[in-house]
Amino acid sequence: MPAGLKPDRPAAARRRRPGAAPYVLLAPSVAYLVVFFIVPLLQGLRLAFTGQDGQWGLSTVHGLLNDPGFWSSVWNTLIMLAIILPVQLVLALAMSLLVNAKLRGSGFWFYVYMLPLGISDLTSGIIWYSVFTQQGWLNSVLQDLGIIHQPFIWLSYQHQLLIIATIVVAEAWRSTSIIVIILVGGLQAIPREYSEAADVFYASPWQKLWHVTLPLLRPTLRTALILRTVLAFEVFATVIALAGSSLSVLATKANNAYTQYQEPHLAAAYGILIMLLSLVSTALFLVMLPVRTEQAS
Amino acid sequence: MKARAFGKYAGAVILAVWVLFPMYLLTAGAFSTQNGVYQYPKSLWPDWSTGTMRFFWDSVGVPAALGRSVIVAAITVALSMLIGTPAGYAIARYRFRGRNPYQMSIVSTRAFPVVVLSIPLAVFFLQWGIYDTVWAVALMHTALVLPFVVLITSSVLAGIPVDLEEAAQVFGCGRPGAFWRVVLPLALPGLAAAASFAVLMSYNEVFAASILTIERPTLPALVLNALSASPDPYKFAAAWLLMIPTFVFIFIMRRYILGFGVERRG
Amino acid sequence: MDGGSARDRDGKISRRGVLRLGAAAGAGAAAAGLLSACGSGGSTGGGGGGGGNLIFLSDQLSTTVETAAMRSKILSGFKSSGVSFTSFADTTQFVDQVIAQAKAGAGTLDLIGGLQGDFVALEAQIPLRDMSDVIGELKDRNFPQAYLDLAKIKGAYRFVPWITATYLMVANKKALAHLPSGADVNTLTYDQLLAWGQALKSATGQQLIGFPASPTGLIKRFFQGYAYPSFTGGLNTTFKSQAAVTMWQYFKQLWAVTNPQSPTYAMMDEPLLSGEVWVAWDHAVRLSNALQQQPDNFVVFPAPSGPKGLGYEPVLGGLAIPTTSKRVTQAKSLISYLAQQQTQATMLNAESWFPPVGASALPSSLAPGVSAEAKAIDATTGAPGALASQLPVGLGAQSATYDKAFVDAFTAIALNGAPIPATLAAEATTLQSVLQQAGAACWKPDPASTGVCQVG
């Protein structure tokens, strides 16, 4: 039975001390990351708290907060996340439920829904730019259908909300598979009995979804949301392709600071902010969707 | 019932078209004549031509780079699954001090933009003498992929009831034996998902790969210039080339992820 | 790890060893693709196709076509050894590679080709090899003194002048019909450009001027080298002057007839070819693709002139040998080869980069797109009232921060509608602190200063 639905175990069994076992199992991953990532990361972090002259201080943080476009990039990042996550969740749920419904050829549907998993955000930026650009696919189709008589500029800097919408579309297309693949795994783990029990009580499909499937999916949903959120913070190639200089998100700010303006201190400061936001959202998910772990003996 | 079934099929088809259509557009762009790319209104059925693709293939060194990408991905998935699965098991099975902080930090460190770490990373690998090799890229990719492998495996393993392990232990298996014989087969679809994720993340990873290679780039590093700075026809050709091997890979992996052949529990 | 066989007897990694490994693997990979790449162990070659190659890294010539031409038409003619050419479109990636190799004290690069600004940035972080010996050997190439002055950083020549370019404008021939009366496209003024854009808008309903305003676009050079000198006669010393305010007011009007998708344009040849833009300003090399693809559809002409003259800015690229290179003699001979007139002629025709010599030394037979550009460049430099901007020297690591002030001003004024005087005042403060930190004196078009350049 999935965690969360099991009848409570005796308190004593749950609170047995785990001993050294978990730490031993974790050690290789910690060691590996310390060597290959944490050490360079610390050097990067140091950049954020030293000024251009190499002295420790908050001058870079100061520079960050006063960077033109800083607040709007924070705002854009959060807005996009707030829109993309629900859209993707709904899409992914639809896809995974369809795959799980044992339709004819569910293997084929699954394969198709999985395909965007192989697409990087760079490729996605190229595809969707070619769709939304002024002389691109969307306008071509609309003009051929007679809906417009002149190309419409979807990516104009004057229509920031429209640009955000195109980014949402591009991201929803590209990275929903990540959620689908995790949800399908979770759905498969739900034993048939629950669904059959609900049928016994003449539950409608929506009731089954809301009261049976989704609660059972909670741990899977949590994983998918954490994964997707952290990845969302690092996506910038799509944003640069579609928005250019018109609007920024934190990831593009960090990247531009480093590659265009050769300001590693500022870039590191943006990087830390992104990390913090990532941390906060992970913590939020861990708290809002708690999952009772089955304690090993 | 019939209406509901029809609705499901219709939904499945619509979603499939949504997924496939932009890929078709990329294909059309990659296999148009150069003039066709710049034409407006663009025609959904372009003047097909392999000229751009042939020029691209001949001039850039694609096969070797693809080979390197494959090797890097293989090393990455092996290392990351080897190191990450035990950690995932620990999170799934034990409640210990540092469990939440570990989960939170391991994942959020990944949010730091890798590009800022270019110089320290390059210096590190240069000093170790493995710069510009598949090993450097694979080791780096393992670090980048590990947090997600841990996250996914912990979620997968948490979904498998502890009773099964305990039952196996009752029947004489040691703890590792219980894991190997009972948990692993059930977790296989989820682990296959984690592994696929690792492979695809490594395959598509471009920034660390371009920092760490000059003469021996992976495919994304090789075509990065084409993807970002070349004329549109080459952008489409490069993106298409990058995309196709993943189709093959996902095709191979789909059975494992969907768990065909593994008996459904319940 | 396969590092073992790359070690010499002292256990040190030798580049020869790694290259040998690469050569062995490369031969296998070339022969049988994927499978042999697996069989040859961890490191696989295939990039340069053989041991003993000189490794040449650049941040120019990075597009697919340019890199292919570099390898097949230019470097293939170098007979003394093979050359492995890699180019990163991203300047910072290039700079970082060079810095990392210098900091690690180990590296594979033999020759680096970058822009003057890149060398200025590099010199601020790592020691660059003194290239005076090579320049001495190439005396017969007659590098113009102006370029040699730019090559002198921290008291020595740090690169050999290699390639030059400038910024031009290109128009779709369809747009010529809407030129304001009396205007000649080869001697436009900025006011005429604006009128032209407005005429295009009323005739077609679309905004058809274009600027490369994306984060990787070069619109900052437009303000630094073109707009400021042409309107104010200066750059730093007139940054927030009344003439500057006039210039920005003018630009806002021009922006109103510019394609609002310009913030996504990195290179103007694409929008020109697709027809989204009919009149564009950009780096000559970033326009060349349009001229080569559809030579009959486009005209190329010099940038317009303003109240104070025709401000323009040259681009200078150079070659240098990293301090960690172990094949200095061969690298030097590669530099000599690249400086030869014959090679430079090929470079011009194949890559649209001009040699760093006077106009009279250009080869006679040029490809059509290139000869049109050459004419436009001549018209630029030869125009009465031509105001050449010097490239900034002495900004060191601050040069990109300096550029950012201009980009921020553009973003604030054109994209966000901020009030011009206040924006200029704010960015002027940033500029002054950048100049202060770098200790940079004024450069043309500003009059020379004795101390740090004062922003006015």
Side-chain angles (χ1 to χ4, degrees), chain A residues 128-143 147-148 150-167 169 241-243 246-247, chain B residues 40, chain C residues 259-265 276:
Chain A
W128 288 99
Y129 184 80
S130 75
V131 168
F132 287 117
T133 190
Q134 183 189 332
Q135 317 271 55
W137 292 108
L138 183 58
N139 280 339
S140 296
V141 168
L142 291 178
Q143 193 150 336
I147 300 178
I148 56 172
Q150 200 156 243
F152 181 75
I153 303 187
W154 301 95
L155 301 176
S156 159
Y157 72 96
Q158 292 164 321
H159 304 138
Q160 301 235 332
L161 284 177
L162 207 49
I163 296 185
I164 291 182
T166 62
I167 296 174
V169 168
L242 292 172
S246 304
L247 63 83
Chain B
Y40 179 78
Chain C
N259 193 320
Q261 213 184 301
S262 289
T264 65
Y265 297 148
E276 290 178 12

Side-chain angles (χ1 to χ4, degrees), chain B residues 33-71:
Chain B
T33 57
Q34 298 238 349
N35 279 323
V37 168
Y38 296 119
Q39 185 190 343
Y40 179 78
K42 290 167 126 88
S43 159
L44 282 178
W45 189 260
D47 264 332
W48 297 98
S49 146
T50 57
T52 313
M53 192 58 84
R54 264 182 291 134
F55 181 89
F56 190 80
W57 185 274
D58 289 336
S59 70
V60 174
V62 166
L66 179 58
R68 268 172 247 133
S69 280
V70 169
I71 297 178

Side-chain angles (χ1 to χ4, degrees), chain A residues 181-233:
Chain A
I181 204 176
I182 297 177
L183 285 184
V184 163
L187 279 174
Q188 289 191 302
I190 298 179
R192 252 177 283 143
E193 288 105 29
Y194 289 100
S195 171
E196 290 166 0
D199 282 336
V200 165
F201 291 100
Y202 297 106
S204 77
W206 294 113
Q207 285 175 320
K208 253 206 282 190
L209 179 66
W210 191 254
H211 293 287
V212 178
T213 318
L214 284 181
L216 288 174
L217 268 186
R218 197 166 354 141
T220 322
L221 275 172
R222 187 179 79 166
T223 307
L225 283 172
I226 293 179
L227 194 63
R228 178 64 194 114
T229 307
V230 172
L231 287 174
F233 279 113

Side-chain angles (χ1 to χ4, degrees), chain C residues 179-334:
Chain C
L179 268 174
S181 62
D184 176 359
V185 79
N186 285 303
T187 55
L188 277 182
T189 65
Y190 278 105
D191 288 332
Q192 288 171 334
L193 177 65
L194 176 60
W196 192 9
Q198 289 166 337
L200 285 169
K201 182 166 184 182
S202 39
T204 64
Q206 292 179 320
Q207 292 161 217
L208 291 169
I209 311 273
F211 281 97
S214 91
T216 51
L218 291 171
I219 196 174
K220 56 196 172 192
R221 304 294 176 223
F222 174 74
F223 294 111
Q224 291 170 344
Y226 288 76
Y228 261 96
S230 303
F231 277 82
T232 71
L235 179 55
N236 298 314
T237 56
T238 55
F239 182 77
K240 51 180 176 169
S241 63
Q242 186 51 48
V245 173
T246 312
M247 184 275 283
W248 283 105
Q249 284 166 340
Y250 164 84
F251 186 76
K252 279 188 80 155
Q253 292 184 289
L254 187 61
W255 187 252
V257 291
T258 301
N259 193 320
Q261 213 184 301
S262 289
T264 65
Y265 297 148
M267 312 201 179
M268 292 314 294
D269 48 11
E270 298 303 295
L272 279 169
L273 282 169
S274 69
E276 290 178 12
V277 158
W278 283 8
V279 180
W281 175 98
D282 204 349
H283 189 298
V285 172
R286 294 182 175 192
L287 294 168
S288 61
N289 192 45
L291 298 172
Q292 283 163 9
Q293 285 279 326
Q294 297 173 9
D296 300 324
N297 286 348
F298 296 109
V299 291
V300 56
F301 54 97
S305 58
K308 294 286 202 276
L310 204 168
Y312 74 97
E313 184 174 302
V315 182
L316 175 64
L319 295 167
I321 302 176
T323 48
T324 51
S325 166
K326 297 190 178 64
R327 312 181 63 189
V328 175
T329 326
Q330 292 103 314
K332 282 195 204 177
S333 72
L334 179 56

Side-chain angles (χ1 to χ4, degrees), chain B residues 49-158:
Chain B
S49 146
T50 57
T52 313
M53 192 58 84
R54 264 182 291 134
F55 181 89
F56 190 80
W57 185 274
D58 289 336
S59 70
V60 174
V62 166
L66 179 58
R68 268 172 247 133
S69 280
V70 169
I71 297 178
V72 167
I75 301 175
T76 303
V77 73
L79 264 181
S80 59
M81 292 300 284
L82 213 63
I83 300 177
T85 313
Y89 184 82
I91 297 179
R93 286 286 179 257
Y94 297 97
R95 200 176 267 158
F96 54 93
R97 232 191 331 194
R99 184 165 160 267
N100 268 355
Y102 173 83
Q103 285 184 82
M104 286 183 354
S105 47
I106 201 179
V107 165
S108 356
T109 53
R110 263 304 267 117
F112 193 84
V114 179
V115 70
V116 178
L117 306 177
S118 307
I119 297 185
L121 284 172
V123 171
F124 178 82
F125 284 101
L126 274 165
Q127 287 173 333
W128 277 84
I130 50 174
Y131 185 77
D132 206 4
T133 64
V134 289
W135 280 102
V137 184
L139 289 172
M140 192 61 220
H141 280 183
T142 307
L144 294 176
V145 156
L146 199 54
F148 298 120
V149 169
V150 171
L151 187 71
I152 300 180
T153 53
S154 71
S155 161
V156 168
L157 292 170

